[in-house]
Amino acid sequence: VLCNVGAQDKNQNDDIRYFITRMYEGKLYENYDFLQTHCSAELLKKLQDTYPYDANGVVYATWLFRSGQQDSKPESNGKSCMVEVKTDNGDWYIYRGIDMGWEFTKRIKISNKNDKIVIFDIK
């Protein structure tokens, strides 16, 4: 359930908004099968290159989809949810959420081509 988003008309942008919300609130960005299905090769490489620790096999810096905080904000009860998803410029969207009580904003390049949603970048 969104923290603070009203009903919207059904269109491609809404499909992407729903996808981003579901990805964040369902923590799908932690699922490597999900990432490999929905991220471009360039983004997968960025996620791998950003992972700073020694590891065996493929590992991704999945925290790039979140606030980057490791612990819950005091007195927040660890609340995490999506607050807002809005279009930015072209295939860019801005999403604002709460991550364990910490508010954050991310910019994501994403598109829906041939009924497949693909994430190209995250900042």
Short mmCIF file of all heavy atoms in Angstrom, two decimals, residues 13-52:
data_model
loop_
_atom_site.label_atom_id
_atom_site.label_comp_id
_atom_site.label_asym_id
_atom_site.label_seq_id
_atom_site.Cartn_x
_atom_site.Cartn_y
_atom_site.Cartn_z
N ASN A 13 2.44 5.15 -18.42
CA ASN A 13 3.13 5.74 -17.27
C ASN A 13 2.66 5.12 -15.97
O ASN A 13 3.45 4.92 -15.06
CB ASN A 13 2.94 7.25 -17.24
CG ASN A 13 3.75 7.95 -18.32
OD1 ASN A 13 4.71 7.40 -18.85
ND2 ASN A 13 3.34 9.15 -18.65
N ASP A 14 1.36 4.84 -15.89
CA ASP A 14 0.85 4.22 -14.68
C ASP A 14 1.36 2.79 -14.52
O ASP A 14 1.60 2.34 -13.41
CB ASP A 14 -0.67 4.25 -14.67
CG ASP A 14 -1.21 5.67 -14.50
OD1 ASP A 14 -0.48 6.52 -13.97
OD2 ASP A 14 -2.34 5.91 -14.93
N ASP A 15 1.53 2.08 -15.64
CA ASP A 15 2.11 0.73 -15.56
C ASP A 15 3.51 0.81 -14.96
O ASP A 15 3.88 -0.02 -14.13
CB ASP A 15 2.19 0.09 -16.95
CG ASP A 15 0.83 -0.31 -17.50
OD1 ASP A 15 -0.14 -0.38 -16.72
OD2 ASP A 15 0.75 -0.55 -18.72
N ILE A 16 4.27 1.80 -15.39
CA ILE A 16 5.64 1.95 -14.88
C ILE A 16 5.61 2.40 -13.43
O ILE A 16 6.38 1.90 -12.61
CB ILE A 16 6.46 2.89 -15.79
CG1 ILE A 16 6.69 2.19 -17.13
CG2 ILE A 16 7.77 3.26 -15.12
CD1 ILE A 16 7.37 3.02 -18.18
N ARG A 17 4.72 3.31 -13.08
CA ARG A 17 4.59 3.73 -11.68
C ARG A 17 4.27 2.53 -10.79
O ARG A 17 4.84 2.35 -9.72
CB ARG A 17 3.51 4.79 -11.52
CG ARG A 17 3.92 6.15 -12.00
CD ARG A 17 2.82 7.16 -11.63
NE ARG A 17 3.09 8.42 -12.26
CZ ARG A 17 2.46 8.89 -13.34
NH1 ARG A 17 1.49 8.19 -13.89
NH2 ARG A 17 2.78 10.05 -13.85
N TYR A 18 3.32 1.72 -11.24
CA TYR A 18 2.94 0.52 -10.49
C TYR A 18 4.14 -0.43 -10.37
O TYR A 18 4.40 -0.98 -9.30
CB TYR A 18 1.76 -0.18 -11.17
CG TYR A 18 1.41 -1.50 -10.52
CD1 TYR A 18 0.71 -1.52 -9.30
CD2 TYR A 18 1.78 -2.70 -11.09
CE1 TYR A 18 0.41 -2.73 -8.69
CE2 TYR A 18 1.48 -3.90 -10.48
CZ TYR A 18 0.80 -3.91 -9.28
OH TYR A 18 0.51 -5.11 -8.67
N PHE A 19 4.87 -0.63 -11.47
CA PHE A 19 6.04 -1.51 -11.46
C PHE A 19 7.07 -1.02 -10.45
O PHE A 19 7.60 -1.82 -9.67
CB PHE A 19 6.64 -1.53 -12.88
CG PHE A 19 7.90 -2.36 -12.97
CD1 PHE A 19 7.84 -3.71 -13.25
CD2 PHE A 19 9.15 -1.78 -12.79
CE1 PHE A 19 9.00 -4.47 -13.35
CE2 PHE A 19 10.31 -2.52 -12.89
CZ PHE A 19 10.23 -3.87 -13.16
N ILE A 20 7.38 0.28 -10.46
CA ILE A 20 8.37 0.83 -9.53
C ILE A 20 7.90 0.65 -8.09
O ILE A 20 8.68 0.24 -7.22
CB ILE A 20 8.65 2.32 -9.84
CG1 ILE A 20 9.35 2.46 -11.20
CG2 ILE A 20 9.47 2.97 -8.72
CD1 ILE A 20 9.41 3.90 -11.71
N THR A 21 6.63 0.92 -7.84
CA THR A 21 6.07 0.76 -6.49
C THR A 21 6.16 -0.69 -6.04
O THR A 21 6.60 -0.99 -4.93
CB THR A 21 4.62 1.25 -6.45
OG1 THR A 21 4.61 2.64 -6.81
CG2 THR A 21 4.01 1.08 -5.07
N ARG A 22 5.74 -1.61 -6.91
CA ARG A 22 5.79 -3.04 -6.58
C ARG A 22 7.23 -3.50 -6.36
O ARG A 22 7.51 -4.26 -5.44
CB ARG A 22 5.13 -3.84 -7.69
CG ARG A 22 4.74 -5.25 -7.24
CD ARG A 22 4.19 -6.05 -8.37
NE ARG A 22 5.36 -6.67 -9.00
CZ ARG A 22 5.53 -6.88 -10.28
NH1 ARG A 22 4.62 -6.54 -11.13
NH2 ARG A 22 6.62 -7.44 -10.73
N MET A 23 8.16 -3.01 -7.21
CA MET A 23 9.57 -3.38 -7.07
C MET A 23 10.10 -2.95 -5.71
O MET A 23 10.77 -3.72 -5.02
CB MET A 23 10.40 -2.71 -8.17
CG MET A 23 11.89 -2.90 -8.02
SD MET A 23 12.87 -1.83 -9.09
CE MET A 23 12.62 -0.23 -8.31
N TYR A 24 9.79 -1.72 -5.30
CA TYR A 24 10.32 -1.21 -4.04
C TYR A 24 9.63 -1.88 -2.84
O TYR A 24 10.29 -2.42 -1.96
CB TYR A 24 10.20 0.32 -3.94
CG TYR A 24 10.70 0.78 -2.60
CD1 TYR A 24 12.06 0.76 -2.31
CD2 TYR A 24 9.82 1.15 -1.59
CE1 TYR A 24 12.53 1.11 -1.05
CE2 TYR A 24 10.29 1.51 -0.34
CZ TYR A 24 11.64 1.48 -0.08
OH TYR A 24 12.10 1.82 1.17
N GLU A 25 8.31 -1.82 -2.82
CA GLU A 25 7.59 -2.32 -1.64
C GLU A 25 7.71 -3.83 -1.48
O GLU A 25 7.66 -4.33 -0.37
CB GLU A 25 6.14 -1.85 -1.66
CG GLU A 25 6.04 -0.35 -1.46
CD GLU A 25 4.63 0.17 -1.28
OE1 GLU A 25 3.65 -0.56 -1.55
OE2 GLU A 25 4.51 1.34 -0.87
N GLY A 26 7.88 -4.56 -2.58
CA GLY A 26 8.06 -6.00 -2.52
C GLY A 26 9.52 -6.42 -2.41
O GLY A 26 9.81 -7.62 -2.40
N LYS A 27 10.42 -5.44 -2.35
CA LYS A 27 11.87 -5.68 -2.29
C LYS A 27 12.33 -6.59 -3.43
O LYS A 27 13.24 -7.39 -3.29
CB LYS A 27 12.28 -6.27 -0.94
CG LYS A 27 12.00 -5.33 0.22
CD LYS A 27 12.47 -5.93 1.51
CE LYS A 27 12.18 -4.94 2.65
NZ LYS A 27 12.65 -5.45 3.93
N LEU A 28 11.69 -6.44 -4.60
CA LEU A 28 12.04 -7.27 -5.74
C LEU A 28 13.46 -6.99 -6.24
O LEU A 28 14.09 -7.85 -6.84
CB LEU A 28 11.03 -7.07 -6.88
CG LEU A 28 9.58 -7.43 -6.54
CD1 LEU A 28 8.67 -7.12 -7.71
CD2 LEU A 28 9.47 -8.88 -6.10
N TYR A 29 13.96 -5.79 -5.96
CA TYR A 29 15.33 -5.42 -6.35
C TYR A 29 16.38 -6.29 -5.66
O TYR A 29 17.53 -6.31 -6.06
CB TYR A 29 15.60 -3.94 -6.06
CG TYR A 29 15.32 -3.57 -4.62
CD1 TYR A 29 16.26 -3.79 -3.62
CD2 TYR A 29 14.09 -3.03 -4.26
CE1 TYR A 29 15.98 -3.50 -2.30
CE2 TYR A 29 13.82 -2.72 -2.94
CZ TYR A 29 14.76 -2.96 -1.97
OH TYR A 29 14.49 -2.66 -0.65
N GLU A 30 15.99 -7.04 -4.63
CA GLU A 30 16.91 -7.96 -3.96
C GLU A 30 16.93 -9.33 -4.64
O GLU A 30 17.77 -10.17 -4.32
CB GLU A 30 16.51 -8.13 -2.49
CG GLU A 30 16.71 -6.86 -1.67
CD GLU A 30 16.29 -7.02 -0.22
OE1 GLU A 30 15.66 -8.05 0.13
OE2 GLU A 30 16.58 -6.10 0.56
N ASN A 31 16.01 -9.56 -5.56
CA ASN A 31 15.89 -10.84 -6.26
C ASN A 31 16.70 -10.77 -7.55
O ASN A 31 16.37 -10.02 -8.45
CB ASN A 31 14.41 -11.11 -6.55
CG ASN A 31 14.18 -12.41 -7.27
OD1 ASN A 31 14.78 -12.67 -8.31
ND2 ASN A 31 13.27 -13.20 -6.74
N TYR A 32 17.76 -11.57 -7.64
CA TYR A 32 18.64 -11.51 -8.80
C TYR A 32 17.94 -11.91 -10.09
O TYR A 32 18.24 -11.38 -11.16
CB TYR A 32 19.90 -12.35 -8.56
CG TYR A 32 20.92 -11.69 -7.65
CD1 TYR A 32 20.57 -10.64 -6.80
CD2 TYR A 32 22.23 -12.11 -7.65
CE1 TYR A 32 21.50 -10.04 -5.98
CE2 TYR A 32 23.18 -11.51 -6.83
CZ TYR A 32 22.80 -10.48 -6.00
OH TYR A 32 23.73 -9.86 -5.19
N ASP A 33 17.01 -12.85 -10.03
CA ASP A 33 16.24 -13.22 -11.23
C ASP A 33 15.44 -12.02 -11.73
O ASP A 33 15.36 -11.76 -12.93
CB ASP A 33 15.30 -14.40 -10.96
CG ASP A 33 16.05 -15.72 -10.80
OD1 ASP A 33 17.19 -15.83 -11.30
OD2 ASP A 33 15.50 -16.63 -10.17
N PHE A 34 14.83 -11.29 -10.80
CA PHE A 34 14.09 -10.08 -11.15
C PHE A 34 15.02 -9.07 -11.82
O PHE A 34 14.70 -8.52 -12.87
CB PHE A 34 13.45 -9.46 -9.90
CG PHE A 34 12.82 -8.13 -10.15
CD1 PHE A 34 11.51 -8.03 -10.61
CD2 PHE A 34 13.53 -6.95 -9.92
CE1 PHE A 34 10.94 -6.79 -10.86
CE2 PHE A 34 12.96 -5.72 -10.17
CZ PHE A 34 11.65 -5.64 -10.63
N LEU A 35 16.19 -8.83 -11.22
CA LEU A 35 17.14 -7.87 -11.78
C LEU A 35 17.59 -8.29 -13.17
O LEU A 35 17.64 -7.47 -14.09
CB LEU A 35 18.34 -7.70 -10.85
CG LEU A 35 18.07 -7.04 -9.50
CD1 LEU A 35 19.34 -7.05 -8.66
CD2 LEU A 35 17.53 -5.64 -9.67
N GLN A 36 17.91 -9.56 -13.34
CA GLN A 36 18.40 -10.03 -14.63
C GLN A 36 17.31 -10.00 -15.70
O GLN A 36 17.62 -9.88 -16.88
CB GLN A 36 19.02 -11.41 -14.47
CG GLN A 36 20.31 -11.35 -13.67
CD GLN A 36 20.84 -12.68 -13.21
OE1 GLN A 36 20.18 -13.71 -13.36
NE2 GLN A 36 22.02 -12.69 -12.63
N THR A 37 16.06 -10.07 -15.29
CA THR A 37 14.95 -9.99 -16.23
C THR A 37 14.63 -8.55 -16.60
O THR A 37 14.30 -8.27 -17.75
CB THR A 37 13.69 -10.66 -15.63
OG1 THR A 37 13.98 -12.03 -15.37
CG2 THR A 37 12.49 -10.54 -16.56
N HIS A 38 14.75 -7.63 -15.64
CA HIS A 38 14.25 -6.27 -15.86
C HIS A 38 15.32 -5.19 -15.93
O HIS A 38 14.99 -4.02 -16.12
CB HIS A 38 13.24 -5.90 -14.77
CG HIS A 38 11.97 -6.69 -14.87
ND1 HIS A 38 11.03 -6.45 -15.85
CD2 HIS A 38 11.51 -7.73 -14.15
CE1 HIS A 38 10.02 -7.30 -15.72
NE2 HIS A 38 10.30 -8.09 -14.69
N CYS A 39 16.59 -5.53 -15.81
CA CYS A 39 17.65 -4.51 -15.91
C CYS A 39 18.44 -4.71 -17.20
O CYS A 39 18.69 -5.84 -17.62
CB CYS A 39 18.62 -4.61 -14.73
SG CYS A 39 17.89 -4.16 -13.16
N SER A 40 18.82 -3.60 -17.81
CA SER A 40 19.67 -3.66 -18.99
C SER A 40 21.03 -4.23 -18.61
O SER A 40 21.42 -4.22 -17.43
CB SER A 40 19.84 -2.27 -19.58
OG SER A 40 20.62 -1.46 -18.70
N ALA A 41 21.76 -4.70 -19.60
CA ALA A 41 23.11 -5.23 -19.35
C ALA A 41 24.00 -4.15 -18.74
O ALA A 41 24.80 -4.42 -17.84
CB ALA A 41 23.72 -5.74 -20.65
N GLU A 42 23.83 -2.91 -19.18
CA GLU A 42 24.63 -1.80 -18.65
C GLU A 42 24.34 -1.56 -17.17
O GLU A 42 25.24 -1.31 -16.38
CB GLU A 42 24.38 -0.52 -19.45
CG GLU A 42 24.85 -0.59 -20.90
CD GLU A 42 23.86 -1.31 -21.83
OE1 GLU A 42 22.71 -1.63 -21.41
OE2 GLU A 42 24.24 -1.56 -22.98
N LEU A 43 23.06 -1.63 -16.78
CA LEU A 43 22.72 -1.42 -15.38
C LEU A 43 23.21 -2.59 -14.53
O LEU A 43 23.72 -2.37 -13.42
CB LEU A 43 21.22 -1.21 -15.19
CG LEU A 43 20.78 -1.00 -13.74
CD1 LEU A 43 21.53 0.15 -13.07
CD2 LEU A 43 19.28 -0.78 -13.66
N LEU A 44 23.09 -3.81 -15.03
CA LEU A 44 23.61 -4.95 -14.27
C LEU A 44 25.11 -4.80 -14.03
O LEU A 44 25.60 -5.07 -12.94
CB LEU A 44 23.32 -6.26 -14.99
CG LEU A 44 21.85 -6.69 -15.01
CD1 LEU A 44 21.68 -7.92 -15.90
CD2 LEU A 44 21.33 -6.96 -13.62
N LYS A 45 25.83 -4.31 -15.03
CA LYS A 45 27.27 -4.08 -14.88
C LYS A 45 27.52 -3.00 -13.83
O LYS A 45 28.40 -3.14 -12.98
CB LYS A 45 27.91 -3.70 -16.21
CG LYS A 45 29.41 -3.48 -16.09
CD LYS A 45 30.08 -3.37 -17.43
CE LYS A 45 31.55 -3.11 -17.39
NZ LYS A 45 32.28 -3.22 -16.17
N LYS A 46 26.73 -1.93 -13.87
CA LYS A 46 26.87 -0.85 -12.88
C LYS A 46 26.62 -1.40 -11.47
O LYS A 46 27.37 -1.08 -10.53
CB LYS A 46 25.88 0.28 -13.19
CG LYS A 46 25.88 1.40 -12.17
CD LYS A 46 24.86 2.47 -12.55
CE LYS A 46 24.79 3.59 -11.53
NZ LYS A 46 23.89 4.68 -11.98
N LEU A 47 25.59 -2.23 -11.31
CA LEU A 47 25.28 -2.82 -10.00
C LEU A 47 26.41 -3.72 -9.53
O LEU A 47 26.74 -3.74 -8.34
CB LEU A 47 23.96 -3.58 -10.06
CG LEU A 47 22.70 -2.76 -10.29
CD1 LEU A 47 21.50 -3.68 -10.54
CD2 LEU A 47 22.43 -1.80 -9.15
N GLN A 48 27.02 -4.47 -10.44
CA GLN A 48 28.16 -5.32 -10.08
C GLN A 48 29.38 -4.48 -9.74
O GLN A 48 30.05 -4.72 -8.73
CB GLN A 48 28.52 -6.25 -11.25
CG GLN A 48 27.73 -7.53 -11.29
CD GLN A 48 28.29 -8.46 -12.34
OE1 GLN A 48 27.99 -8.32 -13.52
NE2 GLN A 48 29.08 -9.41 -11.92
N ASP A 49 29.69 -3.49 -10.57
CA ASP A 49 30.89 -2.66 -10.37
C ASP A 49 30.80 -1.84 -9.10
O ASP A 49 31.82 -1.51 -8.50
CB ASP A 49 31.10 -1.73 -11.57
CG ASP A 49 31.52 -2.49 -12.83
OD1 ASP A 49 31.84 -3.69 -12.73
OD2 ASP A 49 31.50 -1.86 -13.90
N THR A 50 29.58 -1.50 -8.67
CA THR A 50 29.38 -0.68 -7.48
C THR A 50 29.52 -1.51 -6.20
O THR A 50 29.78 -0.98 -5.14
CB THR A 50 28.00 0.00 -7.53
OG1 THR A 50 27.92 0.77 -8.72
CG2 THR A 50 27.77 0.91 -6.35
N TYR A 51 29.36 -2.83 -6.31
CA TYR A 51 29.47 -3.70 -5.13
C TYR A 51 30.92 -3.69 -4.66
O TYR A 51 31.81 -4.17 -5.37
CB TYR A 51 29.01 -5.12 -5.48
CG TYR A 51 28.81 -5.99 -4.26
CD1 TYR A 51 27.59 -6.01 -3.61
CD2 TYR A 51 29.84 -6.76 -3.74
CE1 TYR A 51 27.38 -6.80 -2.48
CE2 TYR A 51 29.65 -7.54 -2.61
CZ TYR A 51 28.42 -7.56 -1.99
OH TYR A 51 28.22 -8.32 -0.87
N PRO A 52 31.20 -3.15 -3.45
CA PRO A 52 32.59 -2.91 -3.04
C PRO A 52 33.29 -4.07 -2.34
O PRO A 52 34.48 -3.99 -2.07
CB PRO A 52 32.44 -1.75 -2.06
CG PRO A 52 31.12 -2.00 -1.41
CD PRO A 52 30.25 -2.58 -2.51
#
